[in-house]
Amino acid sequence: MDIQRKIDDNKGRFFIEKDGRQIAELDFKIEDNILDAYHTGVRPELEGQGIAGRLFNEMVDYAREKGYKVNPSCPYILAKFRKSPDEYRDLWSS
């Protein structure tokens, strides 16, 4: 399951499709060099398989590559940042 990316007009999504159906997504918007990660979702039957974590890692890599700070407004993203604040200090927009 490959992670795909779609960005239009400063709004974007990392997502995974399986059998032509979207099974997971991480939605964000970018404004003033801040990536606001506001939603992460995985189909209920696929939860607990690390799919959200893969999307999170893709978002982190992308933000670092582009030099963005991250506003973790999604509860899942915020929890990941709070769990390892030193690891994401360079990204975390306060």
Side-chain angles (χ1 to χ4, degrees):
M1 292 185 283
D2 292 330
I3 297 175
Q4 300 177 56
R5 175 180 16 186
K6 181 177 180 183
I7 302 172
D8 292 317
D9 297 327
N10 295 329
K11 286 189 171 190
R13 168 177 281 187
F14 297 103
F15 63 98
I16 298 173
E17 290 183 346
K18 182 177 180 183
D19 300 325
R21 178 176 157 208
Q22 186 171 299
I23 61 165
E25 71 278 342
L26 188 157
D27 295 319
F28 61 92
K29 60 186 173 183
I30 301 167
E31 188 173 322
D32 297 328
N33 222 35
I34 296 175
L35 187 151
D36 180 6
Y38 62 86
H39 168 77
T40 305
V42 176
R43 295 248 180 246
E45 65 271 18
L46 300 171
E47 290 178 355
Q49 297 181 27
I51 295 171
R54 288 183 56 212
L55 293 170
F56 172 81
N57 291 337
E58 186 76 11
M59 181 273 302
V60 165
D61 291 346
Y62 179 76
R64 285 185 171 135
E65 172 188 317
K66 297 293 186 181
Y68 295 139
K69 292 290 187 180
V70 175
N71 176 25
S73 59
C74 166
Y76 174 78
I77 304 293
L78 181 59
K80 296 282 276 184
F81 274 37
R82 284 183 173 163
K83 185 176 179 180
S84 303
D86 291 338
E87 188 173 345
Y88 305 112
R89 184 178 319 265
D90 62 319
L91 294 176
W92 200 342
S93 172
S94 36

